[in-house]
Amino acid sequence: SQMAQNTITTAQLNEQILKYLKPEITLQPQAPGLIFNGQSMNLSSQAQGKFLTYQWQRNGQPIAGATGKSFSIAEVNGTRHDGNYTVVVSNDFGSVTSSSTLLQVDGTPSAHTVASINMEMIFCPPGTFTMGSPTSEAGRGGEETQHPVTLTHGFYLGKYEVTQAQYQTVMNGNPAGLNVDPSNNNHKGSNRPVENVSWEDAQVFLSQLNAIEQTAGRLPAGWKYVLPTEAQWEYACRAGTTTAYSWGNDINSSLANYNWDGGGNDGNDSKQTVNIGQFSANPWGFYDMHGNVWEWVHDWKANYLSGAQTDPEGPASGSDRVRRGGSWINPGSLLRSAERFNVTPSYRFNIMGFRVGFQAVKP
């Protein structure tokens, strides 16, 4: 006798039931795009189903003891840890293997050079610091309310401000038709910081630089050259210090390029930009975070939110972008680590430059 149209066989039913009882991976593990010897690393997955067990594998071989939803390595070592990672999720009804993710440890020191323009960068590890300044700090503005900030991802930042030579190399033939040599006539010098650049000009520079490095096959997956966020900038500027400046609470003309005698830019004043790297580096190796030229950062300007922040990026919109660090024309108080200043993103002046960040960007 023929089976009725709407009945299903036991085998088909079992298959349907198993589909619901077998584990299902809802989040595939993803290795970081760039990781260095000695860094810590975490791979995580998520799965649905009952009574699940997990087993992580490297190159198809089970990793002893790696039987949790996530798998961590405290200190990554290329020879021990490079490879393709998967997780097998099982229960009594079957098992499923995640897609494979490649972990590749770059064994170089925590520095990076942008080959096309020989720009040196320093790696800032993840960490927590106090952003802003205490009310007792001399010269403090009202918008520097102290708050703890945690940066969960390491990033690179230029060791120096972008130079005129670097700017020219990248901007040659730029589609926006921007001047490749915008710096003031009395400030010209291939090793002086580029200036007279707006926040918008810096974006053209960054998209050009990303394209150059991408074409050359040197841009790791998911990584981009960007302006640092205001929090990243201050974290790198402080370099673990809590004083007004990265060297202490006082400033003098041997420490940074600024307007130390109050003479201003009156035409006969000798004050001007100087070649990058003329003063001592901060504790992490960055030069001219204080003085020389103001540096654009990513964020729109807003008052700090109260309370602890994680990876803050400023508000989603605004009218002014933030600049940091003070310049050759400013008094010393404007060079403090916490000093905030804002200006419209199209503003160009001979005190405005920038330095480049390099980081994994959110997809």
Side-chain angles (χ1 to χ4, degrees), residues 88-170:
V88 181
V89 185
S90 310
N91 64 11
D92 287 349
F93 300 103
S95 73
V96 58
T97 304
S98 72
S99 58
S100 156
T101 184
L102 176 66
L103 177 70
Q104 214 164 3
V105 178
D106 182 336
T108 57
S110 43
H112 169 72
T113 300
V114 189
S116 52
I117 49 175
N118 200 27
M119 180 166 68
E120 296 174 71
M121 306 191 98
I122 297 171
F123 188 69
C124 297
T128 298
F129 76 111
T130 301
M131 190 168 177
S133 63
T135 49
S136 58
E137 192 167 292
R140 177 188 195 268
E143 300 184 331
E144 298 174 15
T145 311
Q146 285 192 306
H147 56 290
V149 169
T150 299
L151 300 175
T152 61
H153 300 291
F155 61 94
Y156 285 97
L157 189 63
K159 186 174 180 176
Y160 306 102
E161 294 163 334
V162 175
T163 66
Q164 294 176 32
Q166 288 168 336
Y167 191 81
Q168 289 168 31
T169 302
V170 169

Side-chain angles (χ1 to χ4, degrees), residues 122 124 155 157-161 228-239 245-247 255-257 277 279-295 297 323-327 334-339 354-356:
I122 297 171
C124 297
F155 61 94
L157 189 63
K159 186 174 180 176
Y160 306 102
E161 294 163 334
T229 64
E230 190 177 10
Q232 287 173 335
W233 191 95
E234 188 172 322
Y235 179 61
C237 174
R238 289 189 174 282
Y245 308 92
S246 60
W247 55 72
L255 296 166
N257 181 30
F279 297 88
S280 298
N282 80 5
W284 288 358
F286 294 104
Y287 288 88
D288 300 310
M289 297 295 286
H290 307 280
N292 218 6
V293 289
W294 285 96
E295 300 177 16
V297 295
R323 67 187 200 193
R324 287 299 208 116
S327 79
L334 294 191
L335 273 67
R336 294 174 307 104
S337 300
E339 174 68 37
F354 64 107
R355 86 176 62 214
V356 175

Side-chain angles (χ1 to χ4, degrees), residues 322-334:
V322 181
R323 67 187 200 193
R324 287 299 208 116
S327 79
W328 59 274
I329 204 176
N330 297 118
S333 64
L334 294 191

